[in-house]
Amino acid sequence: MSTSKTPQAGFLAIELDGAGWDGVDLSRAVLAAESAGFHVATFTDAPAPGRAHALQRAAFAGPVTRTIALVPEVDTVYTEPFHVSTQLASLDYVSGGRAGWIATAAEAPEAAAAVGRPSVSGAALAQEAAASVEVSRRLWDSWEDDAVIRDVATGRYIDVDKLHYADFETPAGFAGPGYSVKGPSIIPRPLQGQLPVLAAASLVGGQVPAGAVDAVLVSAPTPELLAAEVRDVRARLGAGVAVVAELDVVLDSRGQAAAGRVAGFDSGRAAYAGSAAGLTDFLAELLKEADGVRLHPASLFVDLEELGRLVLPELRRRGVLRPVVQDATFRELLGLSRPVSRYATAASDATAATNAVAPAGAGK
């Protein structure tokens, strides 16, 4: 069985860690990434004193951009799922349908202490992630698309029959403190219906089923192993999930060789260090296997300048990258259709069943 994707142009994401704090202007960073032709900007949520968290930074970037998708990391373990869901839905409105969510779940004793609960580790992390994603998906569907009616004559803003309970409860055997979410949401259904959800490939396939996410992030210790890891993950999770490769980047720039800039830049991910031309060749081959690649530049503006000037234009000339479409949604970039609310479908089925058994002549 083939484990390669059907040949088609891919997309590029860039991590904007470092923007929005320590003197680096967030607007300048995200606009530079958009102007360079990146399809997606991601925002890490690593704690940093004085910095807004990832979702806030993504929301700030929403009104100043037009084409780039905005995808923050948001923790699923030490956050309240209801609030995460509504904040992400708000981001989708602020960005005009360009929002996504990198659902993270990692050991974080400091975060646990901050919210006054025991630290979570091991398999329990995936349980927390699966529950949080399911809550968000149910809440996003809890308002039907036409729930807001603005009926001046009757003084009704919403049709209450178009709002539905999420009715979520953590399953039996849940390792952490159990909880329930009744719903419905406090914000209308997101513009995309369902925001695309991404997660690390290592988190998906067990407690977090492949069907719960729309894309996975794939890492490897070296660039040489990255394409093989992408193929392995695609074979494990199937063709219904987009596969995004993770790559650190250090480029020759401004008369300084990459080898002289790479010291101290070690995340454990595959890292490319060298010329822009060499990176272009590497990405062209990698995108034959992966649906997209997320780049982590060693220096945001030094490497972003080289990427926008030399790498992305050449990849586009070769037909390797998808076109950037103004006002397109993140779902459209991933090739996903806009889903119908699960509750709207259930309500329609119930109405159809009632009508089917109604006696002849019944009605008003």
Side-chain angles (χ1 to χ4, degrees):
M1 179 180 74
S2 173
T3 57
S4 296
K5 71 167 184 172
T6 302
Q8 60 177 352
F11 64 88
L12 284 183
I14 186 167
E15 169 55 47
L16 295 184
D17 187 26
W21 70 302
D22 197 24
V24 179
D25 182 76
L26 178 58
S27 296
R28 179 187 168 201
V30 73
L31 287 172
E34 185 173 61
S35 297
F38 280 94
H39 302 86
V40 181
T42 65
F43 303 82
T44 189
D45 205 27
R51 178 171 69 166
H53 63 62
L55 208 156
Q56 291 172 324
R57 301 196 321 272
F60 177 85
V64 302
T65 52
R66 294 295 300 273
T67 62
I68 196 166
L70 306 171
V71 186
E73 292 181 1
V74 182
D75 173 56
T76 60
V77 181
Y78 304 109
T79 54
E80 293 289 346
F82 188 94
H83 298 315
V84 168
S85 171
T86 56
Q87 289 169 8
L88 287 166
S90 297
L91 176 61
D92 205 42
Y93 278 100
V94 168
S95 65
R98 291 178 285 120
W101 174 21
I102 299 176
T104 61
E107 293 188 39
E110 298 86 355
V115 298
R117 62 164 293 182
S119 182
V120 178
S121 61
L125 292 169
Q127 284 187 329
E128 295 275 359
S132 183
V133 171
E134 178 63 16
V135 168
S136 288
R137 290 204 180 278
R138 291 193 189 194
L139 289 170
W140 292 334
D141 277 348
S142 65
W143 289 53
E144 295 184 34
D145 290 320
D146 54 353
V148 178
I149 55 175
R150 299 184 178 91
D151 190 333
V152 176
T154 62
R156 294 183 303 157
Y157 178 73
I158 58 174
D159 180 350
V160 295
D161 292 331
K162 301 287 188 178
L163 272 60
H164 305 277
Y165 292 121
D167 282 332
F168 174 86
E169 292 188 8
T170 48
F174 192 74
Y179 62 87
S180 63
V181 176
K182 187 69 175 176
S185 181
I186 57 174
I187 188 171
R189 195 166 190 237
L191 295 177
Q192 297 180 90
Q194 290 277 329
L195 276 69
V197 178
L198 298 76
S202 58
L203 197 64
V204 178
Q207 294 284 347
V208 181
V213 301
D214 302 292
V216 292
L217 302 169
V218 177
S219 298
T222 66
E224 293 77 16
L225 297 174
L226 193 51
E229 186 65 21
V230 167
R231 289 191 293 270
D232 289 346
V233 169
R234 195 182 298 281
R236 177 169 64 88
L237 300 181
V241 179
V243 179
V244 182
E246 299 265 53
L247 183 68
D248 288 353
V249 172
V250 189
L251 293 177
D252 299 336
S253 179
R254 303 177 184 179
Q256 186 177 8
R261 301 178 51 229
V262 74
F265 184 57
D266 183 11
S267 66
R269 288 182 294 263
Y272 173 87
S275 68
L279 177 63
T280 302
D281 292 339
F282 179 79
L283 290 175
E285 290 301 312
L286 184 57
L287 285 167
K288 293 178 181 178
E289 304 292 348
D291 298 287
V293 179
R294 178 165 71 148
L295 302 180
H296 299 257
S299 172
L300 185 58
F301 285 116
V302 173
D303 294 301
L304 179 54
E305 179 181 345
E306 299 300 306
L307 290 166
R309 186 170 64 89
L310 299 172
V311 178
L312 273 75
E314 177 60 19
L315 289 173
R316 285 209 159 79
R317 189 191 68 78
R318 298 185 192 186
V320 174
L321 291 184
R322 300 175 194 178
V324 172
V325 180
Q326 184 168 301
D327 298 325
T329 68
F330 188 26
R331 291 189 69 88
E332 289 170 337
L333 174 66
L334 294 175
L336 301 171
S337 60
R338 190 180 188 279
V340 176
S341 164
R342 71 189 73 189
Y343 302 113
T345 303
S348 298
D349 291 345
T351 301
T354 300
N355 292 337
V357 299
K364 292 183 178 178

